[in-house]
């Protein structure tokens, strides 16, 4: 018998039975952590991926959660507690997922805009290398197409499991920090991910701790050990060679604007500090170029590096994003956006901060209408 067709019949049968299994329960309360624990134990020997959907706060069973965002912590120092989990059982579950080589993807849909505690639930997916898809006020006619596309992408994209990553660099440089969604027991240890897929990105910051010879190149290596969906253990090694220059003008000529914005967005700070830090870092970068690379221009003239002409615009986009903007913002939406910034690639982040603009006046008359066949 074909294993795929056999598994398909079991899955379809379960989905068809689900509505009747709990039809007699008048006031159902989700119990999420026991379900995750049972699935983790089932996949402990092989690793794999868990795709979980949830439409209400799990208020029943072990690991039950409660309403933490009561609008009384916004705008004060203790607001940061809403952006991280303080539940020991959920932290332990996240570590077990990584140890078992399991990644968790959540689809969270709050039909009435209710509180879902993404800081706690999404912690499992963030640490394990998975992803959290959030629909704050889910409306089927509007969101079903997006949901379908994201589920399809989740189950079809290239994914590896039981992943370990190590980054090395040549003498004169050293790794100062890692940024992204992963588990690292202590600095210097390998990065551990239950799963890693084609849509994830990690940031690595290097510090200069010695004298680099401008006549020699700097070398960087990233090694990723993972298991494929077919069970093969593979190593993907990426080597990069960069020239060393003592000229600030040369450095400015080869800057990667998207990479710089991505690293700044991934740095961890408190919500209050990061707004000031974004502004100050933008000023420092542009002032440094003005001082060292544009001496022929009048003193009062603003001079932007050729490769950083949109840098201030992206910084403003970060400041106005749900992750960092001032004022009241539901903690679920803010936390979800913060974790997205940590895992987004430079290209994906640039499109998020400054989306493509479509000229409405040139669109045909039949554009922007739903396809009656699909």
């Amino acid at each position: 018998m074909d294993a795929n067709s056999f598994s398909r019949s079991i899955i379809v049968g379960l989905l068809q039975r689900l509505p009747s299994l709990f039809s007699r329960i008048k006031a159902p309360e989700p119990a999420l952590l026991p379900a995750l624990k049972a699935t983790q134990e089932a996949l402990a020997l092989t690793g794999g991926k868990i795709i979980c959907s949830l439409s209400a706060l799990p208020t029943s069973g072990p690991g039950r959660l409660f309403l933490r965002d009561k609008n009384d912590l916004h705008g004060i120092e203790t607001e940061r507690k809403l952006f991280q989990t303080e539940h020991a059982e959920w932290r332990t579950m996240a570590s077990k997922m990584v140890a078992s080589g399991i990644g968790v993807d959540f689809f969270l849909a709050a039909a009435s805009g209710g509180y879902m505690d993404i800081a706690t639930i999404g912690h499992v997916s963030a640490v394990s290398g998975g992803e959290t898809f959030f629909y704050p006020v889910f409306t089927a006619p509007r969101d079903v197409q997006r949901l379908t596309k994201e589920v399809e992408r989740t189950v079809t994209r290239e994914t590896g499991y039981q992943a370990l990553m190590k980054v090395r660099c040549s003498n004169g440089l050293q790794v100062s920090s890692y940024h992204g969604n992963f588990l690292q027991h202590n600095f210097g240890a390998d990065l551990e991910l239950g799963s890693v897929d084609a849509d994830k990105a990690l940031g690595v910051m290097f510090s200069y701790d010695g004298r680099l010879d401008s006549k020699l190149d700097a070398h960087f290596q990233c090694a990723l050990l993972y298991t494929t969906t077919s069970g093969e253990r593979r190593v993907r090694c990426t080597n990069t060679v960069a020239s060393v220059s003592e000229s600030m003008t040369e450095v400015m000529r080869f800057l990667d604007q998207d990479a710089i914005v991505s690293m700044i967005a991934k740095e961890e700070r408190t919500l209050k500090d990061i707004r000031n830090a974004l502004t100050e870092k933008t000023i420092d970068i542009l002032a440094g170029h003005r001082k060292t690379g544009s001496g022929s221009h009048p003193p009062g003239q603003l001079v932007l590096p050729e490769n950083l002409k949109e840098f201030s615009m992206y910084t403003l986009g970060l400041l106005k994003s749900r992750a960092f903007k001032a004022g009241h913002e539901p903690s679920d939406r803010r936390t979800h956006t913060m974790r997205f910034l940590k895992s987004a690639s430079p290209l994906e982040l640039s499109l998020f901060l400054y989306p493509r603009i479509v000229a409405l006046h040139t669109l045909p008359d039949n554009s922007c209408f739903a396809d009656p066949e699909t």
Side-chain angles (χ1 to χ4, degrees), residues 14-78:
L14 175 62
L15 293 175
Q16 292 174 343
R17 290 179 56 199
L18 280 178
S20 60
L21 287 176
F22 305 99
S23 58
R24 297 184 179 180
I25 301 178
K26 297 182 179 179
E29 293 184 70
L32 180 57
L33 191 62
L36 294 177
K37 182 178 181 180
T39 314
Q40 180 268 326
E41 292 176 351
L43 298 175
L45 298 179
T46 61
K49 177 177 283 291
I50 298 173
I51 299 177
C52 177
S53 61
L54 190 69
S55 61
L57 188 69
T59 55
S60 179
R64 59 182 176 269
L65 304 177
F66 59 92
L67 179 62
R68 293 196 296 159
D69 189 354
K70 300 179 181 178
N71 297 325
D72 57 346
L73 298 178
H74 292 272
I76 59 178
E77 186 66 23
T78 54

Side-chain angles (χ1 to χ4, degrees), residues 14 25 29 73 99 131 133 144 199 205 212 230 274 291 308 325 356:
L14 175 62
I25 301 178
E29 293 184 70
L73 298 178
E131 189 168 355
F133 299 90
V144 67
D199 296 334
M205 187 75 75
L212 290 174
S230 59
I274 197 168
K291 180 179 179 181
L308 293 179
K325 74 176 186 178
R356 295 184 181 95

Side-chain angles (χ1 to χ4, degrees), residues 105-117:
D105 288 341
F106 286 112
F107 288 85
L108 307 180
S112 57
Y115 178 66
M116 299 291 289
D117 200 353

Side-chain angles (χ1 to χ4, degrees), residues 95 98-99 182-192:
S95 300
V98 176
F182 52 80
L183 177 65
Q184 187 179 29
H185 293 288
N186 54 73
F187 187 76
D190 294 345
L191 306 185
E192 301 181 31

Side-chain angles (χ1 to χ4, degrees), residues 141 144-145 148-149 369-374:
V144 67
Q145 187 173 7
T148 302
K149 292 294 184 181
F369 287 93
D371 190 338
E373 297 181 358
T374 60

Side-chain angles (χ1 to χ4, degrees), residues 256-332:
D256 187 330
Q257 178 177 257
D258 291 344
I260 293 174
V261 174
S262 178
M263 288 303 303
I264 292 176
K266 286 177 168 57
E267 290 181 346
E268 293 187 3
R269 296 186 183 90
T270 63
L271 189 59
K272 180 180 179 181
D273 293 339
I274 197 168
R275 298 190 190 107
N276 296 330
L278 286 172
T279 303
E280 292 175 0
K281 184 160 292 189
T282 302
I283 295 173
D284 291 342
I285 292 174
L286 298 181
H289 173 262
R290 183 68 181 85
K291 180 179 179 181
T292 61
S294 58
S296 60
H297 295 83
Q301 183 177 353
L302 176 63
V303 181
L304 300 177
E306 185 65 27
N307 292 341
L308 293 179
K309 287 189 173 180
E310 297 85 16
F311 182 60
S312 299
M313 179 189 68
Y314 284 127
T315 301
L316 184 60
L318 281 172
L319 290 171
K320 290 183 175 293
S321 68
R322 292 188 183 276
F324 305 134
K325 74 176 186 178
H328 175 79
E329 182 69 22
S331 60
D332 277 346

